[in-house]
Amino acid sequence: MPAQDQKARLEQLRAELREHNYRYHVLDSPIISDPEFDKLLAELRAIEDEHPEWITPDSPSQRAGAQLSERFSKVQHPGPILSLANAFDPDDLRAWHARVARLDARVEEAEFVVEPKLDGLSIVLHYRDGLFVQGATRGNGEVGEDVTANLRTLRALPLRIPVTADGPAAPPYLVVRGEVFFTKKDFEALNRQRGAAGEELYQTARNTAAGTLRNLDPSVTAARSLTLLVYNVVTSEGEIPATQWETLEFLRTLGFPVSKESFLCPDIECVADQYDPWIEKRNTLHYEIDGLVVKINDLGLSDALGIVGKDPRGSIAMKFPAIEVTTQLLDIGVNVGRTGVLTPFAMLEPVEIGGVIVRQATLHNFDFIAEKDIRVGDRVLVKRAGDVIPYVIGPILAARSSKEKPYQPPAKCPVCGQPVEHIEGEVAWYCVNAACPEQLVRNVEHFVSRSTLDIVGLGIKIVETFIAEGLIEDVADLYILERDQLLALEGFKDKKVDNLLASIETSKSRSLGQLIYALGIRGVGEVVGADLATNFADLDALSSSKVEDLEQIEGIGPNIAEAIVDWFQRPRNQAVLKKLKKAGMWPKSDLSTAQQVGQGALAGLTFVVTGTLPTFSRKEAQDFIRANGGKVTGSVSTSTDYLVAGEKAGSKLAKAESLGVPVIDEAALKALGR
Ligand code: IVH
């Protein structure tokens, strides 16, 4: 393509990507899929690779910033970044209104903008001639930290305003304020990912958002989906609206993400009336809020009222009732999970939190109890956030007498009495006795659940009965259950027994990936299970794999690799496998037949695929290799035969070159495969 056409295509791609970003993150109505977006971005990157001189800081390709070398530098804010005074109920709100009305009678007639009080991290964004040039945390309100590189990775943050062609012209200099946070869904997903990888879970979305935004490596920020809503103009050169309501609209038309939940009230009673309905409504929002912010709409009037300490008189936060309460910690119990993880929980003096009676709360792990020095008998602070399981925040030290008892984690499993073990680099303690009855119940529950082998009719009560009656000692025993044995149990009639046996039989047709996931190996979830199934022919092949082989697979790190090898080495698990095989529960892999029989043009060769290929997606290239009998691994080593590299190949290319591994392109791969 001639340079001129390429330049035009580049501009077009940038405009399209900006539009799609805006539609996705601000309007919430995307018109293309994520893969389609990625394809456009890859095309833009390819052009910019060829012409680095065309790269501009506002290009949608420039979101993943370079690593910061030092601690963050300091940023002097253009004016004080204020906080808010709190009201805790409608009467407090009316009292505030009366106070400010005494200072300025115009308040009697004032309108109010009511906005959700986002439970995140305050940030200040600077735009010069429409370009995002700097972003800072609030810090102490006068000086914040420069987190520009991290903020750039937030897809909701406009790198250039106005985002759309029909937006108003951006003022020459504009500083806005907003809040960075995780949506409830993204925070839960992040924790699910960590759980599956055997990592400690994050406790609060707000602190995690702060840690993520202040991470020294922007690629960590980029990998997590922080988002942003903007609500104030801090300062500007050029004209800005005179009211808060118009400010929100102005920010919206410039292309900033602005909450859709804000509303305008003609008087203070309208605001007061919204308090109770919003206590309910907060649970339906996709992000956490801890109250409403009430702002006098007339910004001139609001400014004229001045400041008390760090709080402007013209706005107030109306906080929701605490979902944190204190109660007494009566005792500490310990649960045994499916993989043997021991989890301590608090047994509490029953207490109401946000309309629900709470008797138990999680204590996370034993390190947490030690760090917070939580003692049995303590008064503790307990929190319930949305749908999340209640958790203990810590002890109220001021309420301590001398009667509380320090807690010692159990040296033995509370259920089976076998010694517990600690795995290096993890916080969890494990009961490693796979015959532990509690673990067995959880194991079978997982084995038959809808997301694994989907054996219907096997609820937890039935599983407990089977174990108590000695019918099953492990999951494989499900496959040798006999009709007469079941009919002898109370409540088991012909039809129920037939249905259950049929359902167990059907499970034999599930895929190898589902079975691997069902086995309950630590760190092996649905995705890793499926990945393993495309790399090993069956459970025999997987059981003889070594840590080094497993680590070659993309997405499997040393911890999971070791957990897998360890699982297959245990005699008890080997016995389970033997029984499963004998029962005919032995699915073959999703490997191509060519690969299983060691045939095909690529048989015996190991490939790594990297970068953007001209026609194949990464997955298509990998499927092509496997269909031709070749093997695909995730990282380049001396046992790699070829690196298939496309555009933007990066570190894998450098590694291949340093090890002397031949590098080929997509065309050469296709030629080899034929
Ligand atoms: S206005 C002078 N609006 O709440 C203006 N703040 O408790 C002060 N916050 O530090 C801020 N949502 O981080 C404003 N819609 C909203 C907000 C909001 C959340 C935070 C902000 C502030 C804190 C005060």
Side-chain angles (χ1 to χ4, degrees), residues 82-84 115-118 122 177 179 231-232 293 295 312:
L82 300 172
S83 188
L84 290 172
E115 300 171 16
K117 186 168 183 323
L118 309 155
S122 214
R177 176 165 175 192
E179 205 86 354
Y231 47 71
N232 272 9
V293 180
K295 302 176 179 175

Side-chain angles (χ1 to χ4, degrees), residues 420-579:
V420 299
E421 281 182 20
H422 193 234
I423 292 170
E424 210 170 298
E426 283 190 27
V427 277
W429 285 82
Y430 288 88
C431 165
V432 290
N433 170 21
C436 171
E438 184 64 23
Q439 256 187 75
L440 182 55
V441 174
R442 303 279 157 225
N443 246 312
V444 179
E445 194 186 13
H446 173 70
F447 192 80
V448 305
S449 74
R450 188 179 295 178
S451 60
T452 56
L453 299 179
D454 195 16
I455 302 180
V456 278
L458 260 184
I460 191 143
K461 285 274 167 293
I462 300 183
V463 172
E464 280 170 354
T465 310
F466 286 0
I467 295 171
E469 296 289 328
L471 293 185
I472 58 171
E473 286 178 359
D474 56 43
V475 291
D477 286 344
L478 290 173
Y479 293 93
I480 50 169
L481 285 173
E482 286 176 14
R483 206 164 179 276
D484 291 345
Q485 287 178 313
L486 297 180
L487 283 172
L489 298 175
E490 212 184 298
F492 277 76
K493 300 254 155 37
D494 277 345
K495 191 150 170 47
K496 184 166 172 181
V497 170
D498 288 344
N499 285 346
L500 179 57
L501 290 174
S503 182
I504 293 175
E505 194 57 31
T506 311
S507 74
K508 290 184 184 168
S509 62
R510 305 274 184 259
S511 70
L512 177 61
Q514 284 169 310
L515 177 58
I516 296 172
Y517 174 32
L519 291 174
I521 305 167
R522 197 160 38 81
V524 179
E526 197 168 0
V527 175
V528 174
D531 287 346
L532 288 168
T534 53
N535 280 275
F536 296 93
D538 57 18
L539 288 176
D540 276 331
L542 179 58
S543 70
S544 51
S545 67
K546 300 193 184 62
V547 171
E548 308 84 80
D549 304 332
L550 292 164
E551 276 189 64
Q552 293 288 311
I553 298 169
E554 209 158 337
I556 298 190
N559 283 347
I560 298 182
E562 267 169 39
I564 296 170
V565 171
D566 178 73
W567 193 94
F568 282 97
Q569 267 170 6
R570 292 179 183 270
R572 189 185 149 84
N573 295 336
Q574 287 172 358
V576 169
L577 293 176
K578 219 165 144 188
K579 286 198 251 178

Side-chain angles (χ1 to χ4, degrees), residues 80-86 114-123 138 177-179 206 230-232 244 262 290-293 295 310-312 315 317 319:
I81 300 302
L82 300 172
S83 188
L84 290 172
N86 291 325
V114 186
E115 300 171 16
K117 186 168 183 323
L118 309 155
D119 197 9
L121 190 74
S122 214
I123 43 108
R138 176 170 183 270
R177 176 165 175 192
E179 205 86 354
R206 196 190 168 284
V230 166
Y231 47 71
N232 272 9
Q244 176 64 10
S262 305
D290 56 351
L292 297 172
V293 180
K295 302 176 179 175
K310 292 197 171 206
D311 307 330
S315 305
K319 301 283 282 263

Side-chain angles (χ1 to χ4, degrees), residues 270-339:
C270 154
V271 182
D273 284 348
Q274 289 298 321
Y275 186 66
D276 283 342
W278 267 86
I279 293 175
E280 293 298 316
K281 183 157 183 199
R282 69 185 294 200
N283 294 318
T284 67
L285 294 186
H286 65 282
Y287 46 82
E288 293 280 354
I289 63 172
D290 56 351
L292 297 172
V293 180
V294 184
K295 302 176 179 175
I296 291 182
N297 191 30
D298 177 344
L299 294 173
L301 170 57
S302 182
D303 283 348
L305 289 167
I307 297 169
V308 217
K310 292 197 171 206
D311 307 330
R313 284 202 184 85
S315 305
I316 194 159
M318 194 158 55
K319 301 283 282 263
F320 293 139
I323 43 173
E324 280 176 22
V325 299
T326 68
T327 186
Q328 200 182 12
L329 176 63
L330 302 176
D331 204 353
I332 294 179
V334 176
N335 278 324
V336 183
R338 163 169 75 77
T339 54

Side-chain angles (χ1 to χ4, degrees), residues 35-68:
E36 283 166 327
F37 181 92
D38 291 343
K39 220 162 143 195
L40 292 175
L41 188 61
E43 190 186 341
L44 172 66
R45 288 208 162 114
I47 300 178
E48 289 181 344
D49 261 7
E50 218 175 294
H51 293 281
E53 73 281 7
W54 289 347
I55 298 177
T56 55
D58 65 329
S59 169
S61 66
Q62 299 302 297
R63 289 194 181 266
Q67 178 130 10
L68 300 172

